[in-house]
Amino acid sequence: MRLQRAIGNRATTALLRAPSKPGEFTLVEDLYPAGTMDAATWKRTVAAAKDALVGGRLDEARDLYTSLYQDVAKTAAADAAGIAADLSVNLAKVDGTGYKPGLNLILGSGGSKGGSTGFVDKSGRFNVTIDLSVGAEVPGVAIRVYSSAFVEDKARSLGVLRHEMTHAHHHQALLELVAKWRSTLKAAASDKPKAHAPSPGDAFESWLKANAKKLKLSPADLALALETERHQATYKTEVLAYVEEFMTAFGLIAPVPTTRDPIFAQLLGALESGRWAGAEDDVRKAAEARLDAYYCNVMKPDQRKVFDDWVAEQAAKGGSESMRDSFLAMLKSVGAKCKATKRAPRR
């Protein structure tokens, strides 16, 4: 059974969710809902897909991994991130060609990465920069997932897809903002170009900043939109995507994971490679609010204990990551309000 879905406008509101609703999407409560594989079938299909790929039976591997991809996409409600309802899967190439908007599969290992998300142009080139020139092509949004992301524990595969769905959500949000901006340019489209006119990128960013309040964009929304449009660093979207991945999988892993479980590496992903330092305070606050809501409203007591123990272990360790102390302070504050409420004496 799923929680009631209440996504709202994906583009210009609710990128920063209310604390009572953790994350970008409604949490999945059932790993094996009606219309998807049961646990035994999932595990058998994963094993068969791996065997086919290792054995060089690529057509068989493609079909089996496609069935796994579609199964987890249905469980994740991938359409909430703008993915076509038919959940069709395109077999793409690792060199960044042959992509289509929506779900794309790479047969092989992504190493430490389960997938990635970016704009795709009509020629099928992946991770292109959006062209803001008047009359330019509007790109699609493509998610690619490596076959190595499909593992026996479906919760972890689900986490990977929800991670990428978070990026897709931010890309879709930018496309809708760009469409609104372009609608304001229609009257002047036929005018002769001015000698000192700003570049399309500068013009869009100026419009976005000036209209943020009217568009009901929070500071975090604005920061995410600018980062996605500039197509350079991805600190902000990655911080929220790693938090989303953790919240998606942690509560579904059975039995309750230990402090050494790999799922905590996903949460640390929000810190590593300069992501936490580069995310800006508004996005860091959004991540904290989501984790806090997840801790207080979703986690069970045994899950809270593991989380608290893991945070204590991390605090006792050293580390050279930029702003590690800030990240740990955030983790220590998660759940503080509900813990205080629990300790408060009755009057």
Side-chain angles (χ1 to χ4, degrees):
M1 178 179 180
R2 300 182 190 277
L3 297 171
Q4 181 182 6
R5 291 178 61 194
I7 300 300
N9 188 320
R10 293 192 301 270
T12 58
T13 61
L15 283 177
L16 178 56
R17 297 298 183 188
S20 62
K21 295 181 181 179
E24 216 72 80
F25 312 101
T26 302
L27 289 174
V28 173
E29 291 188 315
D30 185 357
L31 267 177
Y32 308 101
T36 66
M37 301 179 195
D38 60 28
T41 303
W42 172 269
K43 290 180 180 179
R44 285 198 303 269
T45 307
V46 168
K50 288 181 178 179
D51 183 69
L53 185 58
V54 171
R57 303 188 303 276
L58 298 185
D59 288 344
E60 180 183 349
R62 177 201 61 209
D63 292 344
L64 289 167
Y65 277 115
T66 293
S67 67
L68 291 167
Y69 202 161
Q70 291 179 319
D71 184 274
V72 79
K74 184 173 183 179
T75 305
D79 60 308
I83 303 301
D86 66 357
L87 303 179
S88 59
V89 175
N90 172 60
L91 184 65
K93 299 178 181 179
V94 72
D95 66 358
T97 61
Y99 284 77
K100 293 182 181 180
L103 305 177
N104 294 265
L105 172 67
I106 298 292
L107 291 178
S109 174
S112 62
K113 294 183 64 174
S116 55
T117 298
F119 288 125
V120 57
D121 64 18
K122 291 180 180 178
S123 71
R125 289 188 303 126
F126 177 68
N127 202 28
V128 299
T129 301
I130 187 170
D131 185 350
L132 296 175
S133 303
V134 175
E137 171 191 337
V138 177
V141 179
I143 290 175
R144 73 173 174 189
V145 173
Y146 293 92
S147 60
S148 56
F150 299 100
V151 295
E152 282 196 1
D153 190 341
K154 185 179 175 182
R156 301 177 197 277
S157 300
L158 181 68
V160 170
L161 183 55
R162 277 289 178 89
H163 180 123
E164 298 309 326
M165 284 170 59
T166 302
H167 295 317
H169 178 83
H170 297 157
H171 281 69
Q172 292 285 1
L174 175 63
L175 288 180
E176 293 193 29
L177 289 169
V178 168
K180 291 191 175 194
W181 169 67
R182 281 178 169 155
S183 72
T184 68
L185 305 178
K186 289 181 179 178
S190 60
D191 293 349
K192 294 181 179 180
K194 298 178 181 179
H196 301 290
S199 68
D202 289 342
F204 169 72
E205 291 190 11
S206 296
W207 172 86
L208 189 62
K209 293 173 184 176
N211 290 276
K213 186 175 181 180
K214 182 179 179 181
L215 293 165
K216 298 182 181 179
L217 298 178
S218 73
D221 299 337
L222 179 61
L224 286 161
L226 292 172
E227 178 185 69
T228 306
E229 178 264 322
R230 290 168 182 170
H231 194 64
Q232 296 171 350
T234 57
Y235 301 130
K236 302 169 185 63
T237 185
E238 286 291 1
V239 163
L240 297 185
Y242 276 109
V243 167
E244 190 76 31
E245 181 172 356
F246 172 79
M247 294 190 303
T248 296
F250 180 71
L252 294 171
I253 296 172
V256 176
T258 69
T259 58
R260 295 185 178 184
D261 193 278
I263 190 59
F264 286 109
Q266 303 311 313
L267 188 52
L268 280 176
L271 165 67
E272 295 168 344
S273 300
R275 297 183 186 105
W276 188 253
E280 296 185 9
D281 193 48
D282 293 310
V283 175
R284 291 192 287 266
K285 287 179 180 177
E288 180 180 358
R290 294 175 184 194
L291 283 171
D292 191 71
Y294 181 67
Y295 184 100
C296 291
N297 302 330
V298 179
M299 281 191 196
K300 297 175 182 177
D302 52 353
Q303 294 167 337
R304 289 184 182 183
K305 184 180 185 308
V306 172
F307 182 87
D308 291 342
D309 289 347
W310 176 77
V311 172
E313 289 177 10
Q314 293 303 308
K317 293 179 179 179
S320 59
E321 298 93 341
S322 179
M323 291 189 69
R324 178 180 175 84
D325 290 345
S326 167
F327 186 72
L328 290 174
M330 179 277 291
L331 291 175
K332 289 178 183 178
S333 73
V334 168
K337 292 180 180 178
C338 54
K339 291 175 187 175
T341 300
K342 185 176 181 181
R343 290 195 300 265
R346 294 183 179 180
R347 295 183 178 180

